[in-house]
Amino acid sequence: MDLAHGLSGLLVGLLVGMTGVGGGALMAPILILMLNVAPTTAVGTDLWFAAITKMVGGAIHHSLGEPDWTVVKRLALGSIPASILTSLVLAQIDTGQIKHGLIIAALGVILLATAAAMLGWGRVQNVVLGLDEPVAAAYRRRQPALTIFAGGLLGVMVTLTSIGAGALGAVMLMALYPMRMSARRLVGTDIVHAVPLTIVAGLGHLVMGNVDFGLLGSLLVGSIPGIILGSVLATRLPTGILRPILAVVLAATGIKMIMS
């Protein structure tokens, strides 16, 4: 096991356990910027890293009966076809330099969006809850179509960058279903939907040869104790302070990637 890769998994697991932020937003930039992993390999490997870790979380939430399966199905109706189409487009881009540049630019933009989502976590819900009743009624009627559309956006983002299924997905659900989603149900729905999405996206990258299984094993070995330790520390540390700091780091990383 490469020590640097194991330590990266430990760091990401620790931060995910403490803040609840999806590992993709942390892992892919670390692999690319600090460990010099090729962008396509970083994304492909990170997708399987996310799929495996979210399977565990998804199984727990399923056993507790927390996910909203109607919403999961609506999201999947948009995300799975979008993920397949995005994989097909990526497979047709033959020039590695163009593909790498596209992925790095997309990573930068989505990191900025993730940072904004973390900082505006509760404000989105308040805006939707404050809508006038006629507007709110029309909004509710459009919820199924809007949810499928949101799933489509997540499918493209996750397949292209491995980021989006965590913080961005949660904010989308909060905006779409402010009354229907309790905090636990929102997390459960977001995680359960992310499992098939990351598997489908990961399969696309696997076919393209973008998955490094040795790297994946090293990351998982480090992340498991990291998540356990982070979850314990989360009860003792002020996550209200940690989230904004992490959001600033993600935003700075996103700007660096866009400008590179």
Side-chain angles (χ1 to χ4, degrees), residues 29-245:
I30 288 174
L31 291 176
I32 294 169
L33 296 177
M34 297 178 64
L35 301 178
N36 297 316
V37 176
T40 49
T41 302
V43 170
T45 305
D46 186 33
L47 280 168
W48 282 103
F49 173 81
I52 293 168
T53 54
K54 287 177 187 295
M55 277 183 208
V56 178
I60 294 170
H61 283 281
H62 173 62
S63 67
L64 296 175
E66 291 171 359
D68 188 320
W69 287 103
T70 300
V71 176
V72 170
K73 290 173 185 175
R74 289 172 182 172
L75 287 170
L77 279 173
S79 66
I80 302 303
S83 176
I84 294 170
L85 287 172
T86 304
S87 292
L88 291 172
V89 170
L90 282 175
Q92 296 304 311
I93 300 175
D94 294 325
T95 306
Q97 201 160 6
I98 294 174
K99 187 182 290 186
H100 289 185
L102 173 64
I103 289 174
I104 288 176
L107 267 166
V109 171
I110 296 173
L111 280 171
L112 288 173
T114 301
M118 289 176 64
L119 293 173
W121 196 264
R123 295 171 193 163
V124 174
Q125 186 180 34
N126 292 334
V127 169
V128 178
L129 287 173
L131 295 175
D132 294 334
E133 181 52 36
V135 177
Y139 187 67
R140 285 192 293 271
R141 286 194 299 271
R142 292 176 173 82
Q143 275 179 333
L146 289 171
T147 306
I148 293 171
F149 178 73
L153 289 178
L154 289 174
V156 173
M157 289 189 294
V158 170
T159 306
L160 192 58
T161 68
S162 76
I163 301 174
L168 283 175
V171 170
M172 286 181 179
L173 288 175
M174 197 179 293
L176 286 164
Y177 301 97
M179 299 294 291
R180 181 167 171 165
M181 290 285 174
S182 64
R184 292 179 68 180
R185 174 163 281 196
L186 184 145
V187 172
T189 302
D190 193 30
I191 289 177
V192 169
H193 166 252
V195 172
L197 172 55
T198 50
I199 289 174
V200 170
L203 284 171
H205 281 271
L206 181 63
V207 170
M208 288 183 276
N210 296 337
V211 182
D212 185 330
F213 287 101
L215 172 59
L216 175 60
S218 297
L219 296 175
L220 287 170
V221 167
S223 69
I224 293 170
I227 288 173
I228 294 170
L229 178 59
S231 299
V232 172
L233 291 175
T235 61
R236 304 176 185 179
L237 294 175
T239 54
I241 295 175
L242 287 173
R243 276 183 182 273
I245 292 174

